[in-house]
Amino acid sequence: GQQLNQSPQSMFIQEGEDVSMNCTSSSIFNTWLWYKQDPGEGPVLLIALYKAGELTSNGRLTAQFGITRKDSFLNISASIPSDVGIYFCAGLPGGTSYGKLTFGQGTILTVHP
Amino acid sequence: DGGITQSPKYLFRKEGQNVTLSCEQNLNHDAMYWYRQDPGQGLRLIYYSQIVNDFQKGDIAEGYSVSREKKESFPLTVTSAQKNPTAFYLCASSRDRGETQYFGPGTRLLVL
């Protein structure tokens, strides 16, 4: 099945640094979603993007829906230790795959105090 | 509080045994989903249901079965035909099929 290319696969940063990660696809999506997953827990929705070009913030998190509808990025500013976890992008397509969420492989974030 | 609950948190299966994972939501969502997550991999869709008494196979349905008799509930049975069942299983729901999905806390299945 289709996959999203999410990068980087992992990041090791110092507390206070900014973080950027992105997802790209060969197909168009109608919605881009960003989730965070802590070990042993289910993914928690961080930001949902519904329109090409849309830029949305949630506290220290900012995400954008690419103009081509084939990519999205997530920025985290001034990272703190509780930002540690796995971040997943996900895309919702239209057409015959309507409603079928496609996930990236995840970005593992480690924050050193 | 509205949300999705999954039980149990951990489940052990013996060889040749069927086990059932529970998923309940009180969000009044029509669509529900089951995903499997293996270490270092993204989530893969097992089954989904758009409405009561209807469900469709996802990408990796072999060895699994589901039912949707109530809007709130979407149990997943891992049958003995599933030869590699050890994984983290996640249930999700959305208002309808094309909308944002929200996840439960997950059930970790281990084989004895």
Side-chain angles (χ1 to χ4, degrees), chain A residues 22-40:
Chain A
N22 69 83
C23 274
T24 60
S25 170
S26 58
S27 302
I28 288 171
F29 289 109
N30 290 342
T31 300
W32 280 95
L33 306 169
W34 285 92
Y35 294 89
K36 178 180 182 248
Q37 186 176 26
D38 291 327

Side-chain angles (χ1 to χ4, degrees), chain A residues 40-62:
Chain A
E41 301 294 332
V44 173
L45 182 68
L46 299 174
I47 292 179
L49 302 158
Y50 300 108
K51 198 163 61 172
E54 179 181 356
L55 185 71
T56 298
S57 294
N58 178 9
R60 294 178 296 105
L61 277 62
T62 301

